[in-house]
Amino acid sequence: MWCGTYDLGERGCEPYSHLSHRIHTARKLASVGSEPPTMSLLRIAPTLSRDALRVATSPSRDEFRVAPALSAYTQFHRASLATPSPSTRYLYFVTWAGFANRVLALLSALVLAILTDRVLLVDDGAFPADLFELPIRWLASECAYFSALPRTPDEWRVVETEQKPFTAELAYLGCANLSAPRVLEYRSIAQYVVPVLLRNPNLRGAALLRELGDSPVQSLLRYLLPPSARVRERLAELLADAPQRPR
């Protein structure tokens, strides 16, 4: 069956018009509650209970349930960087513009990397490293093996979500087999395409969606961008004397 310009075999996929509507709706929903964790905590601090403050300033990820797929990806990512090989594949994420927009695009890049068994690498300067306690080392400039890879058409595929029209790229993300290129360079500033990726018939999106639960944006953010020790200390100082809501 054909989807746009891609021959997807017998299973097929949704028409582009359906995918376009799905991503438009998903971006509206994802914009709610998609603030970086630190900003959200500062904004709602006066309404938090003592238990909530303890979780907010805790240095441990154990306070939150991390989906098994995310924990497994951490181990996969670390092992792949420690012992790179010719079979290692990469998702190179390039972004710019406003911080909130970059976060939405980052979540899409993370899910794309997980579903295609790729090492997520991020362009330098995309996110302020001192604000977060990252579970993985993701700076592309620190991966010498990746930096030495040749940029040949067969090995390096660029996905540009800011092109207009977005028809071909959206069809590629939602319908095609994304495992072939050695490197997927994902260039995006605000596109939240997680629902599209989860419905790609060539990927194991249904299993990941079940693990992420009813709030995939929150689950992904808590895993990938928890506040750093410096930020937690500052939060504790700011919240120490804040009026508390009764339990």
Side-chain angles (χ1 to χ4, degrees):
M1 179 176 179
W2 287 85
C3 180
T5 58
Y6 298 95
D7 185 359
L8 301 177
E10 297 180 354
R11 285 187 293 177
C13 67
E14 292 179 289
Y16 166 73
S17 59
H18 294 181
L19 290 172
S20 180
H21 174 72
R22 189 178 302 282
I23 191 173
H24 178 72
T25 304
R27 284 191 62 195
K28 287 184 177 180
L29 295 175
S31 64
V32 179
S34 62
E35 292 177 295
T38 303
M39 297 180 186
S40 297
L41 290 172
L42 289 175
R43 180 174 55 80
I44 65 175
T47 67
L48 295 176
S49 67
R50 286 294 176 188
D51 287 341
L53 292 180
R54 175 182 56 81
V55 171
T57 57
S58 170
S60 173
R61 282 189 176 82
D62 294 338
E63 299 286 357
F64 301 111
R65 175 186 172 274
V66 176
L70 300 180
S71 298
Y73 182 73
T74 299
Q75 300 305 316
F76 160 78
H77 193 282
R78 292 174 179 173
S80 299
L81 287 184
T83 56
S85 71
S87 63
T88 304
R89 293 175 298 165
Y90 299 91
L91 192 290
Y92 177 41
F93 177 48
V94 179
T95 190
W96 57 99
F99 184 84
N101 287 345
R102 281 178 279 157
V103 168
L104 283 177
L106 173 64
L107 299 186
S108 299
L110 172 63
V111 170
L112 180 55
I114 292 173
L115 293 179
T116 56
D117 297 319
R118 296 178 181 276
V119 175
L120 174 63
L121 296 176
V122 176
D123 196 32
D124 289 25
F127 295 91
D130 61 332
L131 294 183
F132 305 108
E133 191 176 90
L134 302 176
I136 55 177
R137 290 175 48 238
W138 66 10
L139 289 182
S141 63
E142 296 180 357
C143 183
Y145 192 90
F146 169 77
S147 301
L149 292 177
R151 296 196 176 208
T152 61
D154 292 338
E155 295 288 318
W156 199 294
R157 169 62 151 93
V158 177
V159 178
E160 171 64 76
T161 70
E162 306 312 314
Q163 292 186 110
K164 295 182 179 180
F166 185 29
T167 308
E169 299 292 61
L170 186 59
Y172 179 73
L173 292 172
C175 304
N177 186 337
L178 306 176
S179 300
R182 178 79 180 279
V183 177
L184 273 181
E185 180 176 335
Y186 184 69
R187 304 176 63 87
S188 181
I189 61 173
Q191 300 291 351
Y192 182 75
V193 300
V194 170
V196 175
L197 295 171
L198 293 175
R199 291 180 64 85
N200 185 319
N202 298 285
L203 304 176
R204 56 184 187 281
L208 179 60
L209 180 60
R210 285 194 297 270
E211 290 193 15
L212 294 179
D214 296 332
S215 304
V217 171
Q218 292 183 18
S219 297
L220 293 169
L221 277 174
R222 286 173 174 174
Y223 161 72
L224 194 58
L225 296 178
S228 66
R230 183 174 69 86
V231 171
R232 289 196 303 269
E233 291 173 1
R234 182 58 178 154
L235 277 170
E237 294 172 0
L238 293 173
L239 300 176
D241 298 325
Q244 299 301 308
R245 184 181 62 185
R247 296 191 193 185

